[in-house]
Coordinates of all heavy atoms in Angstrom, one line a residue:
M239 N 122.5 100.4 125.7 CA 121.4 100.1 124.9 C 121.7 100.1 123.4 O 122.3 101.2 123.0 CB 120.2 101.0 125.2 CG 119.0 100.9 124.3 SD 117.7 102.1 124.8 CE 116.7 100.9 125.7
T240 N 121.5 99.1 122.7 CA 121.7 99.1 121.3 C 120.7 99.9 120.5 O 119.5 100.1 121.0 CB 121.8 97.7 120.7 OG1 120.4 97.1 120.8 CG2 122.8 96.8 121.4
R241 N 120.9 100.2 119.3 CA 119.9 100.9 118.4 C 118.7 100.0 118.2 O 117.6 100.6 118.3 CB 120.5 101.3 117.1 CG 119.7 102.1 116.2 CD 119.5 103.5 116.8 NE 120.6 104.4 116.5 CZ 120.5 105.6 116.1 NH1 119.4 106.1 115.9 NH2 121.6 106.3 115.9
R242 N 118.9 98.8 118.1 CA 117.8 97.8 118.0 C 116.9 97.8 119.2 O 115.7 97.9 119.2 CB 118.3 96.4 117.7 CG 117.1 95.5 117.5 CD 117.5 94.0 117.3 NE 116.4 93.2 117.2 CZ 116.4 91.9 117.3 NH1 117.5 91.3 117.4 NH2 115.3 91.3 117.2
E243 N 117.5 97.8 120.4 CA 116.7 97.8 121.7 C 116.0 99.1 121.8 O 114.8 99.2 122.2 CB 117.6 97.6 122.8 CG 118.2 96.2 122.9 CD 119.4 96.1 124.0 OE1 120.1 97.1 124.2 OE2 119.5 95.0 124.6
A244 N 116.6 100.2 121.3 CA 116.0 101.5 121.4 C 114.7 101.6 120.5 O 113.7 102.0 120.8 CB 116.9 102.6 121.0
R245 N 114.9 101.0 119.3 CA 113.8 101.0 118.4 C 112.6 100.1 118.9 O 111.5 100.5 118.7 CB 114.2 100.4 117.0 CG 115.0 101.4 116.2 CD 115.4 100.8 114.8 NE 116.2 101.7 114.0 CZ 117.4 101.5 113.7 NH1 117.9 100.3 113.9 NH2 118.0 102.4 112.9
E246 N 112.9 99.0 119.5 CA 112.0 98.1 120.1 C 111.2 98.9 121.3 O 110.0 98.9 121.3 CB 112.5 96.9 120.7 CG 113.0 95.9 119.6 CD 113.7 94.7 120.1 OE1 113.9 94.6 121.4 OE2 114.2 93.9 119.4
A247 N 111.9 99.7 122.1 CA 111.3 100.5 123.1 C 110.4 101.5 122.6 O 109.2 101.7 123.0 CB 112.4 101.1 124.0
I248 N 110.8 102.2 121.4 CA 110.0 103.2 120.8 C 108.7 102.6 120.2 O 107.7 103.1 120.4 CB 110.8 103.9 119.7 CG1 112.0 104.7 120.3 CG2 109.9 104.8 118.9 CD1 113.0 105.0 119.3
L249 N 108.9 101.4 119.6 CA 107.7 100.8 119.0 C 106.7 100.4 120.1 O 105.5 100.6 119.9 CB 108.2 99.5 118.3 CG 107.1 98.7 117.5 CD1 106.4 99.6 116.5 CD2 107.7 97.5 116.9
E250 N 107.3 99.9 121.2 CA 106.3 99.5 122.3 C 105.6 100.7 122.8 O 104.3 100.6 123.1 CB 107.1 98.9 123.5 CG 107.7 97.5 123.2 CD 108.5 97.0 124.4 OE1 108.3 97.5 125.6 OE2 109.3 96.1 124.1
L251 N 106.2 101.8 123.0 CA 105.6 103.0 123.5 C 104.6 103.6 122.5 O 103.5 104.0 122.8 CB 106.7 104.1 123.8 CG 107.6 103.9 125.0 CD1 108.8 104.7 124.9 CD2 106.8 104.1 126.3
L252 N 104.9 103.6 121.2 CA 104.0 104.1 120.2 C 102.8 103.2 120.0 O 101.7 103.6 119.8 CB 104.7 104.2 118.8 CG 105.7 105.4 118.8 CD1 106.5 105.3 117.5 CD2 105.0 106.7 118.9
F253 N 103.1 101.9 120.1 CA 101.9 100.9 120.0 C 101.0 101.1 121.1 O 99.8 101.1 120.9 CB 102.5 99.5 120.0 CG 101.6 98.4 119.7 CD1 101.1 98.2 118.4 CD2 101.0 97.6 120.7 CE1 100.2 97.3 118.0 CE2 100.1 96.6 120.3 CZ 99.7 96.5 119.0
E254 N 101.5 101.2 122.4 CA 100.7 101.5 123.5 C 99.9 102.8 123.4 O 98.7 102.9 123.7 CB 101.5 101.5 124.8 CG 100.6 101.6 126.0 CD 101.5 101.4 127.4 OE1 102.6 101.0 127.3 OE2 100.9 101.8 128.4
S255 N 100.5 103.8 122.8 CA 99.8 105.1 122.6 C 98.7 105.0 121.7 O 97.7 105.7 121.8 CB 100.9 106.1 122.1 OG 101.9 106.4 123.0
G256 N 98.8 104.1 120.7 CA 97.7 103.9 119.8 C 96.5 103.3 120.4 O 95.3 103.5 119.9
F257 N 96.7 102.5 121.5 CA 95.6 101.9 122.2 C 95.0 102.9 123.3 O 94.0 102.6 123.8 CB 96.0 100.6 122.8 CG 96.0 99.5 121.9 CD1 97.2 99.1 121.4 CD2 94.9 98.8 121.5 CE1 97.3 98.1 120.4 CE2 94.9 97.8 120.6 CZ 96.1 97.4 120.0
H258 N 95.7 103.9 123.6 CA 95.2 104.8 124.7 C 95.3 106.3 124.2 O 96.1 107.1 124.8 CB 96.0 104.6 125.9 CG 96.0 103.3 126.4 ND1 94.9 102.8 127.2 CD2 96.9 102.2 126.5 CE1 95.1 101.5 127.5 NE2 96.3 101.2 127.1
P259 N 94.6 106.6 123.1 CA 94.8 108.0 122.5 C 94.3 109.1 123.5 O 94.7 110.2 123.3 CB 93.8 107.9 121.3 CG 92.9 106.8 121.5 CD 93.6 105.9 122.4
E260 N 93.5 108.7 124.5 CA 93.0 109.7 125.5 C 94.1 110.1 126.5 O 94.0 111.1 127.2 CB 91.8 109.2 126.2 CG 92.0 108.1 127.2 CD 92.3 106.7 126.6 OE1 92.2 106.5 125.4 OE2 92.7 105.8 127.5
E261 N 95.2 109.3 126.6 CA 96.2 109.6 127.5 C 97.4 110.4 126.8 O 97.6 110.2 125.7 CB 96.8 108.3 128.1 CG 95.8 107.6 129.0 CD 96.5 106.4 129.6 OE1 97.6 106.5 130.2 OE2 95.9 105.3 129.7
S262 N 98.0 111.2 127.6 CA 99.2 112.0 127.1 C 100.4 111.1 126.8 O 100.5 110.1 127.5 CB 99.6 113.1 128.0 OG 100.2 112.5 129.1
P263 N 101.2 111.4 125.8 CA 102.4 110.6 125.6 C 103.3 110.5 126.9 O 103.8 109.5 127.2 CB 103.1 111.3 124.5 CG 102.0 112.0 123.8 CD 101.0 112.5 124.8
Q264 N 103.3 111.6 127.6 CA 104.1 111.6 128.9 C 103.5 110.6 129.9 O 104.3 109.9 130.5 CB 104.1 113.0 129.4 CG 105.0 113.1 130.7 CD 106.5 112.9 130.3 OE1 107.0 113.6 129.5 NE2 107.2 112.0 131.0
A265 N 102.2 110.5 130.1 CA 101.6 109.6 131.0 C 101.9 108.1 130.6 O 102.3 107.3 131.4 CB 100.1 109.7 131.0
I266 N 101.9 107.9 129.3 CA 102.2 106.6 128.8 C 103.6 106.2 129.0 O 104.0 105.1 129.4 CB 101.8 106.4 127.3 CG1 100.2 106.3 127.2 CG2 102.4 105.1 126.7 CD1 99.7 106.5 125.8
F267 N 104.5 107.2 128.7 CA 106.0 107.0 128.9 C 106.3 106.7 130.5 O 107.0 105.8 130.8 CB 106.7 108.3 128.5 CG 108.1 108.2 128.6 CD1 108.9 107.6 127.6 CD2 108.8 108.8 129.6 CE1 110.3 107.6 127.7 CE2 110.2 108.8 129.7 CZ 110.9 108.1 128.7
D268 N 105.6 107.6 131.3 CA 105.9 107.4 132.7 C 105.4 106.0 133.2 O 106.1 105.4 134.0 CB 105.2 108.5 133.6 CG 105.9 109.9 133.3 OD1 107.0 109.9 132.8 OD2 105.2 110.9 133.5
R269 N 104.3 105.6 132.8 CA 103.8 104.3 133.2 C 104.6 103.2 132.7 O 104.9 102.2 133.4 CB 102.3 104.1 132.7 CG 101.7 102.8 133.2 CD 100.2 102.6 132.9 NE 100.0 102.7 131.4 CZ 99.2 103.6 130.8 NH1 98.5 104.5 131.4 NH2 99.1 103.5 129.5
A270 N 105.1 103.3 131.5 CA 106.0 102.2 131.0 C 107.3 102.1 131.8 O 107.8 101.0 132.1 CB 106.3 102.5 129.5
L271 N 107.8 103.3 132.2 CA 109.0 103.3 133.0 C 108.7 102.6 134.4 O 109.6 101.9 134.9 CB 109.5 104.7 133.3 CG 110.2 105.4 132.1 CD1 110.5 106.8 132.5 CD2 111.4 104.7 131.6
E272 N 107.6 103.0 134.9 CA 107.3 102.5 136.3 C 106.8 101.0 136.3 O 107.4 100.2 137.0 CB 106.2 103.3 136.9 CG 105.8 102.9 138.3 CD 104.6 103.8 138.8 OE1 104.6 105.0 138.5 OE2 103.8 103.2 139.5
M273 N 105.9 100.6 135.4 CA 105.3 99.3 135.5 C 106.1 98.3 134.7 O 106.2 97.1 135.2 CB 103.9 99.4 135.0 CG 103.0 100.3 135.9 SD 101.3 100.3 135.3 CE 100.7 98.7 135.8
R274 N 106.6 98.6 133.6 CA 107.4 97.6 132.8 C 108.9 97.8 133.0 O 109.6 97.0 132.3 CB 106.9 97.7 131.4 CG 105.4 97.3 131.2 CD 105.1 97.0 129.8 NE 105.7 97.8 128.7 CZ 105.2 98.9 128.2 NH1 103.9 99.3 128.6 NH2 105.8 99.6 127.2
E275 N 109.3 98.8 133.6 CA 110.7 99.1 133.7 C 111.4 99.1 132.4 O 112.5 98.5 132.2 CB 111.4 98.1 134.7 CG 110.8 98.2 136.0 CD 111.4 97.1 137.0 OE1 112.4 96.5 136.7 OE2 110.9 97.0 138.1
I276 N 110.8 99.7 131.4 CA 111.3 99.8 130.1 C 112.6 100.6 130.1 O 112.7 101.6 130.8 CB 110.2 100.5 129.1 CG1 110.6 100.3 127.6 CG2 110.0 101.9 129.5 CD1 109.6 100.6 126.7
K277 N 113.5 100.2 129.3 CA 114.8 100.9 129.3 C 114.7 102.0 128.2 O 114.2 101.8 127.2 CB 115.9 99.8 128.8 CG 116.2 98.9 129.9 CD 117.3 97.9 129.6 CE 118.1 98.0 128.3 NZ 119.1 96.9 128.1
V278 N 115.3 103.2 128.6 CA 115.2 104.3 127.7 C 116.6 105.0 127.7 O 117.3 104.9 128.6 CB 114.1 105.3 128.0 CG1 112.7 104.6 127.9 CG2 114.3 105.9 129.4
N279 N 116.8 105.7 126.6 CA 117.9 106.7 126.5 C 117.5 107.9 125.8 O 116.3 108.0 125.5 CB 119.1 106.0 125.8 CG 118.8 105.6 124.4 OD1 117.9 106.0 123.8 ND2 119.7 104.7 123.9
D280 N 118.4 108.8 125.6 CA 118.0 110.1 125.0 C 117.4 109.9 123.5 O 116.5 110.6 123.2 CB 119.2 111.0 124.8 CG 119.6 111.5 126.2 OD1 118.8 111.5 127.1 OD2 120.7 112.0 126.3
F281 N 117.9 108.9 122.8 CA 117.4 108.6 121.5 C 115.9 108.1 121.5 O 115.1 108.6 120.8 CB 118.2 107.5 120.8 CG 117.7 107.1 119.4 CD1 117.8 108.0 118.3 CD2 117.0 105.9 119.3 CE1 117.3 107.5 117.1 CE2 116.5 105.5 118.1 CZ 116.7 106.3 116.9
V282 N 115.6 107.3 122.5 CA 114.2 106.7 122.7 C 113.3 108.0 123.0 O 112.2 108.2 122.4 CB 114.1 105.7 123.8 CG1 112.7 105.4 124.1 CG2 114.9 104.5 123.4
K283 N 113.7 108.8 123.9 CA 112.9 110.0 124.2 C 112.7 110.9 123.1 O 111.6 111.4 122.8 CB 113.5 110.7 125.4 CG 113.5 110.0 126.7 CD 114.2 110.9 127.8 CE 114.5 110.1 129.0 NZ 115.3 110.8 130.0
K284 N 113.8 111.1 122.4 CA 113.7 112.1 121.3 C 112.8 111.6 120.1 O 111.9 112.4 119.7 CB 115.1 112.3 120.7 CG 115.2 113.2 119.5 CD 116.7 113.3 119.0 CE 116.8 114.2 117.8 NZ 118.1 114.3 117.3
V285 N 112.9 110.3 119.8 CA 112.0 109.8 118.8 C 110.6 109.7 119.2 O 109.7 110.2 118.6 CB 112.6 108.5 118.2 CG1 111.6 107.9 117.2 CG2 113.8 108.7 117.5
Y286 N 110.4 109.1 120.4 CA 108.9 108.9 120.9 C 108.2 110.2 121.0 O 107.1 110.4 120.5 CB 109.0 108.2 122.3 CG 107.6 108.1 122.9 CD1 106.6 107.3 122.3 CD2 107.2 108.8 124.0 CE1 105.4 107.2 122.9 CE2 106.1 108.7 124.6 CZ 105.1 107.9 124.0 OH 103.8 107.8 124.6
F287 N 108.8 111.1 121.7 CA 108.1 112.5 121.9 C 108.1 113.3 120.6 O 107.2 114.0 120.3 CB 108.7 113.3 123.1 CG 108.4 112.6 124.4 CD1 109.3 112.0 125.2 CD2 107.1 112.6 124.9 CE1 109.1 111.5 126.4 CE2 106.7 112.1 126.2 CZ 107.7 111.5 126.9
G288 N 109.1 113.1 119.8 CA 109.2 113.8 118.6 C 108.1 113.4 117.6 O 107.7 114.1 116.8
V289 N 107.7 112.1 117.6 CA 106.6 111.7 116.8 C 105.3 112.5 117.1 O 104.7 113.0 116.2 CB 106.3 110.1 117.0 CG1 105.0 109.7 116.4 CG2 107.4 109.3 116.3
F290 N 105.1 112.7 118.4 CA 103.9 113.5 118.7 C 104.0 115.0 118.5 O 103.1 115.6 118.1 CB 103.5 113.2 120.2 CG 103.1 111.8 120.4 CD1 104.0 110.9 121.0 CD2 101.9 111.4 120.1 CE1 103.6 109.6 121.2 CE2 101.5 110.1 120.3 CZ 102.4 109.1 120.8
E291 N 105.3 115.5 118.5 CA 105.5 116.9 118.2 C 105.3 117.2 116.7 O 105.0 118.3 116.3 CB 106.9 117.3 118.7 CG 107.1 117.3 120.2 CD 108.5 117.5 120.6 OE1 109.4 117.7 119.7 OE2 108.8 117.3 121.8
N292 N 105.5 116.1 115.9 CA 105.6 116.2 114.4 C 104.5 115.4 113.8 O 104.6 115.2 112.6 CB 106.9 115.9 113.9 CG 108.0 116.8 114.4 OD1 108.1 117.9 114.0 ND2 108.8 116.4 115.3
I293 N 103.5 114.9 114.5 CA 102.6 114.0 114.0 C 101.8 114.4 112.8 O 101.6 113.7 111.8 CB 101.6 113.5 115.1 CG1 100.9 112.2 114.6 CG2 100.6 114.5 115.4 CD1 101.7 111.0 114.7
E294 N 101.4 115.7 112.7 CA 100.7 116.3 111.6 C 101.6 116.2 110.3 O 101.1 115.8 109.3 CB 100.2 117.6 111.9 CG 99.0 117.7 112.8 CD 98.6 119.1 113.2 OE1 98.9 120.0 112.5 OE2 97.8 119.2 114.2
H295 N 102.8 116.6 110.5 CA 103.7 116.6 109.4 C 104.1 115.2 108.9 O 104.1 114.9 107.7 CB 105.1 117.3 109.7 CG 106.0 117.6 108.5 ND1 105.6 118.5 107.6 CD2 107.2 117.0 108.3 CE1 106.6 118.4 106.7 NE2 107.6 117.5 107.1
I296 N 104.3 114.3 109.8 CA 104.6 112.9 109.5 C 103.4 112.3 108.8 O 103.6 111.6 107.7 CB 104.9 112.1 110.8 CG1 106.2 112.6 111.4 CG2 104.9 110.6 110.5 CD1 106.5 112.0 112.8
D297 N 102.2 112.5 109.3 CA 101.0 112.0 108.7 C 100.8 112.6 107.3 O 100.5 111.9 106.3 CB 99.7 112.3 109.5 CG 99.5 111.4 110.7 OD1 100.3 110.4 110.7 OD2 98.7 111.7 111.5
A298 N 101.2 113.9 107.1 CA 101.0 114.4 105.8 C 102.0 113.8 104.7 O 101.7 113.6 103.6 CB 101.3 116.0 105.8
L299 N 103.3 113.5 105.2 CA 104.3 112.9 104.4 C 103.8 111.4 104.1 O 104.0 111.0 102.9 CB 105.6 112.8 105.2 CG 106.4 114.1 105.3 CD1 107.6 113.9 106.1 CD2 106.9 114.5 103.8
L300 N 103.3 110.7 105.1 CA 102.8 109.4 104.8 C 101.6 109.4 103.8 O 101.7 108.5 102.8 CB 102.4 108.7 106.1 CG 103.4 108.3 107.1 CD1 102.8 107.8 108.4 CD2 104.3 107.2 106.5
E301 N 100.7 110.3 104.0 CA 99.6 110.4 103.0 C 100.1 110.8 101.6 O 99.7 110.2 100.6 CB 98.6 111.4 103.5 CG 97.3 111.2 102.8 CD 96.2 111.9 103.6 OE1 96.4 112.4 104.7 OE2 95.1 112.0 103.0
K302 N 101.0 111.7 101.5 CA 101.6 112.2 100.3 C 102.2 111.1 99.5 O 102.1 110.9 98.3 CB 102.6 113.3 100.5 CG 103.2 113.8 99.3 CD 104.3 114.9 99.6 CE 105.1 115.3 98.3 NZ 106.1 116.3 98.6
H303 N 103.0 110.2 100.2 CA 103.8 109.2 99.5 C 103.1 107.8 99.5 O 103.6 106.9 99.0 CB 105.2 109.0 100.2 CG 106.0 110.3 100.0 ND1 106.6 110.6 98.8 CD2 106.3 111.3 100.9 CE1 107.2 111.8 99.0 NE2 107.0 112.2 100.2
S304 N 101.9 107.8 100.0 CA 101.1 106.5 100.0 C 100.2 106.6 98.8 O 99.0 106.8 99.0 CB 100.4 106.4 101.3 OG 101.3 106.3 102.4
V305 N 100.7 106.5 97.7 CA 99.8 106.7 96.5 C 98.8 105.6 96.4 O 99.1 104.4 96.5 CB 100.8 106.7 95.2 CG1 99.9 106.8 93.9 CG2 101.8 107.7 95.2
G306 N 97.6 106.1 96.2 CA 96.4 105.1 96.1 C 95.9 104.7 97.5 O 95.0 103.9 97.6
W307 N 96.4 105.2 98.6 CA 96.0 104.9 99.9 C 95.7 106.1 100.7 O 96.5 107.0 100.7 CB 97.1 104.1 100.7 CG 97.3 102.7 100.2 CD1 98.0 102.3 99.1 CD2 96.8 101.5 100.7 NE1 98.0 101.0 98.9 CE2 97.2 100.5 99.9 CE3 96.0 101.2 101.8 CZ2 96.9 99.1 100.2 CZ3 95.6 100.0 102.0 CH2 96.1 98.9 101.3
K308 N 94.6 106.1 101.3 CA 94.3 107.3 102.3 C 94.9 106.9 103.7 O 95.0 105.8 104.0 CB 92.8 107.5 102.4 CG 92.2 108.0 101.1 CD 90.7 108.2 101.3 CE 90.1 108.7 100.0 NZ 88.7 109.0 100.0
K309 N 95.2 107.9 104.4 CA 95.7 107.7 105.8 C 94.8 106.8 106.6 O 95.3 106.0 107.4 CB 95.9 109.1 106.4 CG 96.5 108.9 107.8 CD 96.8 110.3 108.4 CE 95.5 111.0 108.7 NZ 95.6 112.3 109.4
T310 N 93.5 107.0 106.4 CA 92.6 106.2 107.2 C 92.5 104.7 106.8 O 92.1 103.9 107.6 CB 91.1 106.7 107.0 OG1 90.8 106.7 105.6 CG2 91.0 108.1 107.6
R311 N 93.1 104.4 105.7 CA 93.1 102.9 105.3 C 94.4 102.3 105.8 O 94.5 101.1 105.7 CB 93.1 102.9 103.7 CG 91.7 103.1 103.2 CD 91.5 102.7 101.8 NE 91.7 101.2 101.7 CZ 92.1 100.6 100.5 NH1 92.4 101.3 99.4 NH2 92.2 99.3 100.5
I312 N 95.4 103.0 106.2 CA 96.6 102.5 106.7 C 96.4 102.2 108.2 O 96.1 103.1 108.9 CB 97.8 103.4 106.5 CG1 98.0 103.7 105.0 CG2 99.1 102.8 107.1 CD1 99.0 104.8 104.7
S313 N 96.6 101.0 108.6 CA 96.3 100.6 110.0 C 97.3 101.3 110.9 O 98.5 101.6 110.5 CB 96.5 99.1 110.1 OG 97.8 98.7 110.1
P314 N 96.9 101.5 112.1 CA 97.9 102.2 113.1 C 99.2 101.4 113.2 O 100.2 102.0 113.3 CB 97.1 102.2 114.4 CG 95.7 102.1 114.0 CD 95.6 101.3 112.7
W315 N 99.1 100.1 113.1 CA 100.4 99.3 113.2 C 101.3 99.7 112.1 O 102.5 99.9 112.3 CB 100.0 97.8 113.1 CG 101.2 97.0 113.0 CD1 101.6 96.3 112.0 CD2 102.1 96.7 114.1 NE1 102.8 95.5 112.2 CE2 103.1 95.8 113.5 CE3 102.3 97.1 115.4 CZ2 104.2 95.3 114.3 CZ3 103.4 96.6 116.2 CH2 104.3 95.8 115.6
R316 N 100.9 99.8 110.9 CA 101.8 100.2 109.8 C 102.3 101.6 110.0 O 103.4 101.9 109.6 CB 101.0 100.0 108.5 CG 100.8 98.6 108.1 CD 100.2 98.5 106.8 NE 100.0 97.1 106.5 CZ 99.5 96.6 105.4 NH1 99.2 97.4 104.4 NH2 99.2 95.3 105.2
T317 N 101.4 102.5 110.4 CA 102.0 103.9 110.6 C 103.0 103.9 111.7 O 104.0 104.6 111.5 CB 100.7 104.7 111.0 OG1 99.7 104.7 110.0 CG2 101.1 106.2 111.2
I318 N 102.8 103.2 112.8 CA 103.8 103.2 113.8 C 105.1 102.6 113.3 O 106.2 103.2 113.6 CB 103.3 102.3 115.1 CG1 102.1 103.0 115.7 CG2 104.4 102.0 116.0 CD1 101.4 102.3 116.7
R319 N 105.0 101.5 112.6 CA 106.2 100.9 112.0 C 106.9 101.8 111.1 O 108.2 101.9 111.1 CB 105.9 99.6 111.3 CG 105.7 98.4 112.2 CD 105.4 97.1 111.6 NE 106.1 96.9 110.4 CZ 105.7 96.0 109.4 NH1 104.6 95.3 109.6 NH2 106.4 95.8 108.3
A320 N 106.2 102.5 110.3 CA 106.7 103.4 109.3 C 107.5 104.6 110.1 O 108.6 104.9 109.8 CB 105.7 104.0 108.4
C321 N 106.8 105.1 111.1 CA 107.5 106.2 111.9 C 108.7 105.7 112.6 O 109.7 106.4 112.6 CB 106.5 106.7 112.9 SG 105.1 107.6 112.2
T322 N 108.7 104.5 113.2 CA 109.8 104.0 114.0 C 110.9 103.6 113.0 O 112.1 104.0 113.2 CB 109.4 102.8 114.8 OG1 108.2 103.2 115.6 CG2 110.5 102.3 115.6
R323 N 110.7 102.8 112.0 CA 111.7 102.4 111.1 C 112.4 103.5 110.4 O 113.6 103.5 110.3 CB 111.1 101.5 110.0 CG 110.9 100.1 110.4 CD 110.4 99.3 109.3 NE 110.3 97.9 109.7 CZ 109.7 97.0 108.9 NH1 109.1 97.4 107.8 NH2 109.7 95.7 109.3
G324 N 111.6 104.5 110.0 CA 112.3 105.6 109.3 C 112.9 106.6 110.2 O 113.7 107.4 109.7
E325 N 112.6 106.5 111.5 CA 113.2 107.4 112.5 C 113.0 108.9 112.0 O 113.9 109.7 111.9 CB 114.6 107.2 112.8 CG 114.8 105.8 113.4 CD 116.3 105.4 113.5 OE1 117.2 106.2 113.3 OE2 116.5 104.2 113.8
M326 N 111.8 109.1 111.5 CA 111.5 110.3 110.8 C 111.7 111.6 111.7 O 112.0 112.7 111.1 CB 110.0 110.4 110.4 CG 109.7 109.3 109.3 SD 108.0 109.2 108.9 CE 108.0 110.5 107.6
V327 N 111.7 111.5 113.0 CA 112.0 112.6 113.8 C 113.3 113.2 113.6 O 113.5 114.4 113.7 CB 111.8 112.2 115.3 CG1 112.2 113.3 116.2 CG2 110.3 111.9 115.5
V328 N 114.3 112.4 113.2 CA 115.6 112.8 112.9 C 115.6 113.9 111.8 O 116.4 114.8 111.8 CB 116.6 111.7 112.6 CG1 118.0 112.2 112.2 CG2 116.6 110.8 113.8
L329 N 114.7 113.8 110.9 CA 114.5 114.8 109.8 C 114.1 116.2 110.4 O 114.5 117.2 109.8 CB 113.4 114.3 108.8 CG 113.6 113.0 108.0 CD1 112.4 112.8 107.3 CD2 114.8 113.2 107.1
F330 N 113.4 116.2 111.4 CA 113.0 117.4 112.0 C 113.8 118.0 113.1 O 113.7 119.1 113.5 CB 111.6 117.3 112.6 CG 110.6 116.6 111.5 CD1 110.1 115.4 111.8 CD2 110.3 117.3 110.3 CE1 109.3 114.7 110.8 CE2 109.6 116.6 109.4 CZ 109.0 115.4 109.6
K331 N 114.6 117.2 113.7 CA 115.4 117.6 114.9 C 116.9 117.2 114.8 O 117.3 116.2 115.4 CB 114.8 117.0 116.2 CG 113.4 117.3 116.4 CD 113.2 117.8 117.8 CE 111.8 118.1 117.9 NZ 111.5 119.1 118.9
N332 N 117.6 117.8 113.9 CA 119.0 117.5 113.8 C 119.8 118.3 114.8 O 120.2 119.4 114.6 CB 119.5 117.9 112.4 CG 119.0 116.9 111.3 OD1 118.9 115.7 111.7 ND2 118.8 117.3 110.1
D333 N 120.0 117.6 116.0 CA 120.8 118.2 117.1 C 122.2 117.9 117.0 O 122.5 116.8 116.7 CB 120.2 117.8 118.4 CG 118.8 118.4 118.6 OD1 118.5 119.4 118.0 OD2 118.0 117.7 119.3

């Protein structure tokens, strides 16, 4: 799996999570594996679940650096893209 394919898988999972906030990240992940046969590797798991483990800190960083914009004005799509593109989880989990 290339890094690009991994990022696409992460984006799909995060996008789906945005539409089903009542479901756990694990349930969404499991369903994607079963129903869509999404390809994953350790990087995909680390970033996807890491976003949820660090969501408050990530949101705080986005809000801090989004001068003139409140978090509520940034659409979920942009937030997801920002989290995925930046691979912000790597900042918190340097294994």
